[in-house]
Amino acid sequence: MKLKRIGLGILTAAFVFTLVGCSNDPQKEFVDALYSTEQSTFNAAKFEMSIDNIDFSSDEDDSAYTAMMVSQLENITVDGSYALNQDDETMEMEMNLNALGQTLPLQFVIQKEKMYLSASFFSGAVDIANALQYPIDISASDLKKLDGKYIDVGEIGSEFTDGASSSSDVAAAAGTVNDKELQDKLRKLMESFDKKTFTKKDDVITHIFTKKEITQIAEVIMESLEESKSGKTDKSSVDITEMFSEGLEDLSVELSINTKSSAMSYKFNMVIKDETTDMDLTLSMKMTPQKNTEKISVPSKKNVLTTDEFDAIISSIYGSAMGRSDDSSYYDDLYGELYEDEDYTFTDEEFDQLIESIEMYPEEITQEDADELRDSGSLIFSKDQMKRLNEALDKALL
């Protein structure tokens, strides 16, 4: 629930300054600048983000470890860009996560209800894991398989997220960005805020959105999202007020807009307090709107990894990193299907990984392991595969 609150808070803050389509009244100028005709022509932006401060304390058993990990977040910065194409309903986002002297590149491509993540992030993830002294060894051949490949987040993500937002939800959210009816509702809402809270210095107008105002904005956005899904104007099924009040002691977003350049910057602050945890988070972000005329490239089917291919690579990474389990047989953990289901069919990649694991960890093979592998393998492997398996096992037992 805590993560959902954080995620929703950040999402709402993002919408505050990405929902982009003079007088002496700073409030009117602020709203006009946010929803101006010029803003609506921007379909791309560059951004930079950094965590300015994060204080964390907890009474839970793993609090010391968690506090150590949280402290590392202050050294993390993110930079990147995104582009939208309303004609074919595509979006591309490229971002670099800079941490521990390493860079994790992330590239997302969305087309209507499909979201893809470039597999190029694997090499950066391995470097960061090694910097954290959690060594992960991935073979050059496995890295080569990832060149130019993408992961279908909508397909693979559903196995791990337990009902979290799908790519269709993201597409629906993106679709609200230039929704005129929603913009009109938000404009009217912002015009009802206290005029004194809008200030101007030179070409920059600033407003600090309070927790109450952010809650109101979130309610309008969520109702619009649900309306876009169901076609009805029902009240949102998500109780925003409850979500923002449960353990969330404070929430604010300071948004500044340059009326000439349309550049925006904000400071986001969140304070969470509950029975066991206190956390104070402050982060900064700058966005420079741009216009994109290039077509967004959507990965072809041949460049999208299947679930089996993705699982095989993950098994390779974790298998080499973790070695034999102390609680159960190493090979039972990795290839339990072989013993439990005689009709199970190994892919070529999985069989190659089995042989590679035996060759990499011959000292882990016992006579009992070898006998079980031979007995079970004879039921599902071909003669050529059994020959390779027997040779690998014989060599490992020498």
Side-chain angles (χ1 to χ4, degrees):
M1 190 67 176
K2 187 185 302 179
L3 289 178
K4 288 184 178 179
R5 290 198 305 272
I6 294 173
L8 185 57
I10 293 175
L11 175 64
T12 304
F15 269 121
V16 167
F17 56 83
T18 58
L19 290 173
V20 293
C22 260
S23 72
N24 293 322
D25 184 347
Q27 182 182 34
K28 186 177 185 305
E29 286 188 77
F30 182 93
V31 177
D32 287 345
L34 192 60
Y35 300 108
S36 68
T37 302
E38 176 64 19
Q39 286 282 12
S40 65
T41 64
F42 294 121
N43 62 349
K46 287 185 176 181
F47 58 85
E48 300 175 8
M49 186 177 73
S50 62
I51 296 178
D52 299 333
N53 176 69
I54 182 166
D55 293 325
F56 176 88
S57 62
S58 175
D59 295 333
E60 296 179 354
D61 293 339
D62 60 349
S63 60
Y65 175 78
T66 304
M68 180 186 70
M69 296 301 294
V70 167
S71 67
Q72 295 295 325
L73 296 177
E74 288 192 23
N75 301 316
I76 292 177
T77 62
V78 178
D79 61 80
S81 62
Y82 73 84
L84 300 168
N85 189 324
Q86 295 295 327
D87 294 335
D88 57 5
E89 298 180 63
T90 56
M91 175 180 180
E92 180 178 33
M93 176 179 286
E94 295 183 355
M95 56 192 297
N96 297 306
L97 176 66
N98 308 297
L100 302 173
Q102 308 294 332
T103 298
L104 177 63
L106 296 169
Q107 180 194 11
F108 295 91
V109 177
I110 299 174
Q111 183 180 45
K112 297 182 179 178
E113 296 191 352
K114 284 283 189 180
M115 177 188 283
Y116 304 96
L117 168 63
S118 172
S120 61
F121 77 90
F122 267 88
S123 58
V126 170
D127 291 339
I128 290 177
N130 288 334
L132 286 170
Q133 297 184 342
Y134 183 83
I136 292 180
D137 181 25
I138 181 170
S139 66
S141 61
D142 277 339
L143 279 177
K144 185 68 176 176
K145 294 175 186 176
L146 299 176
D147 287 349
K149 299 297 183 180
Y150 287 79
I151 299 166
D152 187 335
V153 177
E155 176 186 352
I156 296 175
S158 63
E159 299 179 14
F160 302 103
T161 55
D162 191 24
S165 296
S166 65
S167 57
S168 61
D169 294 325
V170 176
T176 67
V177 170
N178 289 314
D179 184 271
K180 187 177 184 305
E181 184 177 352
L182 173 59
Q183 287 190 5
D184 289 343
K185 291 179 181 178
L186 290 170
R187 173 190 282 268
K188 185 176 180 180
L189 175 62
M190 292 183 193
E191 288 174 346
S192 71
F193 296 160
D194 186 356
K195 287 182 179 291
K196 296 178 181 178
T197 60
F198 295 81
T199 59
K200 183 176 181 179
K201 183 178 181 181
D202 297 328
D203 297 322
V204 179
I205 306 174
T206 301
H207 173 67
I208 300 178
F209 291 87
T210 64
K211 178 182 174 181
K212 179 181 178 181
E213 292 173 346
I214 294 171
T215 302
Q216 292 173 317
I217 291 171
E219 287 174 342
V220 172
I221 292 172
M222 293 302 294
E223 286 174 13
S224 180
L225 284 174
E226 297 215 353
E227 180 183 346
S228 68
K229 293 179 183 179
S230 65
K232 301 178 182 179
T233 56
D234 297 335
K235 184 176 177 60
S236 171
S237 61
V238 180
D239 192 331
I240 303 297
T241 302
E242 179 182 350
M243 185 168 288
F244 278 171
S245 62
E246 189 176 330
L248 187 57
E249 186 170 283
D250 192 23
L251 176 65
S252 65
V253 178
E254 179 182 321
L255 172 60
S256 298
I257 305 176
N258 188 306
T259 56
K260 285 192 175 180
S261 68
S262 296
M264 291 175 280
S265 63
Y266 82 95
K267 281 188 177 293
F268 174 90
N269 180 252
M270 174 182 287
V271 178
I272 293 177
K273 289 188 178 183
D274 56 29
E275 296 178 354
T276 60
T277 304
D278 287 357
M279 185 173 75
D280 189 337
L281 170 68
T282 303
L283 61 84
S284 297
M285 186 169 185
K286 295 180 180 179
M287 293 190 67
T288 306
Q290 297 179 324
K291 296 178 183 179
N292 177 59
T293 57
E294 297 182 4
K295 181 178 176 61
I296 296 174
S297 179
V298 178
S300 61
K301 188 175 181 180
K302 68 177 182 179
N303 289 327
V304 177
L305 293 171
T306 65
T307 304
D308 286 342
E309 290 171 332
F310 178 80
D311 288 344
I313 293 172
I314 292 298
S315 295
S316 170
I317 293 173
Y318 281 98
S320 61
M322 298 176 69
R324 178 186 282 267
S325 167
D326 292 334
D327 299 326
S328 59
S329 170
Y330 174 67
Y331 293 97
D332 282 352
D333 288 342
L334 286 181
Y335 305 103
E337 296 92 341
L338 182 63
Y339 311 120
E340 296 169 2
D341 186 357
E342 294 181 0
D343 294 325
Y344 183 83
T345 301
F346 265 34
T347 65
D348 290 340
E349 290 83 3
E350 288 175 325
F351 182 79
D352 289 342
Q353 179 58 34
L354 173 60
I355 299 301
E356 183 179 340
S357 297
I358 294 172
E359 292 173 344
M360 288 179 63
Y361 300 98
E363 70 280 1
E364 302 287 351
I365 289 287
T366 66
Q367 186 63 54
E368 183 180 356
D369 288 331
D371 292 342
E372 192 168 8
L373 281 167
R374 285 188 172 107
D375 292 341
S376 300
S378 64
L379 300 174
I380 61 173
F381 292 147
S382 66
K383 290 183 178 179
D384 289 340
Q385 287 176 324
M386 280 304 301
K387 181 180 179 182
R388 287 183 60 194
L389 178 62
N390 285 322
E391 289 175 350
L393 291 173
D394 289 341
K395 186 177 180 180
L397 292 172
L398 289 176

